[in-house]
Amino acid sequence: MTIQLLTKTRKLSQILNLGIFGVFVLLYAPILLHWVDGWLHKNISTEHEYFSHGMIGLPFAIYLTWLKRKQWQRLANKTHFLGATLLLLGGIFYLSGVTEWVNLSLPTILSGLCLWFKGIPGWRLQRFPLLLVFLATPTALPYLIAPYTFPLQSFIASSAGFILNQLGMEVIVDEVNIYVGGKIVEVAPYCAGLKMLLTTIYVSLMLLYWTGSFSVRRIPMWFLSLAIFISIIANIIRNTMLTFFHGTGQTSAFHWLHDSWGGDLYSACMLMLLVPLLNQINSYFAVNLPASESDDTTLSGE
């Protein structure tokens, strides 16, 4: 009787899980398809496009969740009151009809489900996949940051002007405007490299997790700092090239790097530099860091 009862309970649990998964897919499949379509075809707002790193981050989050499925099953079924709160809040967000709130309902409901079924241990197990989902969720963050990017815009314009002057071109820089060949190029807020910077941080977190580098305190700090530095330098070079193309009348090259797939290729090449950079940092700390410097608390959940 006990075995039959356990088998029946397990089947009911599986049916419940499938039902919840089915409802979740029906609710969010259209939203996710809209995100991906907008990221691929760039037919959405500039702010939305800033979260295109979700095309690699969301599948990675699903993959990590799949890897952790046995650990999840071994956790005791333990409901946390915060789970119900987040599920209710996520439902309100979804039903509000406001685009940003509907988007934010995804990570909210996922966090609520983790807490509802497995409590705090379940949330801890899935915290990194949840972080990836949250950071890939389109919000108004780029719009809110844009007004404060003027110092970065001015720095990029000055650097681009300096480089072009060294190449023998007659360039005048006026705050965020670059005058070359009788033409003007403006380093606008959305040309200040925010998208590249957000993508760099996102991919850096993925690499840190995948290599287990969160277990050493200093590695994430050094790696993220250098990754941000590389992102800024790469954006200065990109803006210098754009200014050169525009000033010399190379319209097709300008649009290829600015609007077309050339910009994506450039960003991908920059992101590839992060892999050998992290390998070098890991190698350095493996040799020079005492064992006592390691932090046993990691985001891996292993």
Side-chain angles (χ1 to χ4, degrees), residues 183-217:
K183 299 180 180 179
I184 180 174
V185 176
E186 179 189 5
V187 181
Y190 291 117
C191 296
L194 286 180
K195 180 181 178 182
M196 187 180 291
L197 185 61
L198 292 174
T199 302
T200 299
I201 294 173
Y202 192 85
V203 173
S204 296
L205 291 174
M206 292 172 59
L207 290 173
L208 286 168
Y209 181 89
W210 186 251
T211 58
S213 301
F214 280 114
S215 59
V216 180
R217 298 187 188 97

Side-chain angles (χ1 to χ4, degrees), residues 216-227:
V216 180
R217 298 187 188 97
R218 296 186 187 181
I219 291 179
M221 178 185 66
W222 277 101
F223 180 58
L224 288 172
S225 299
L226 291 173

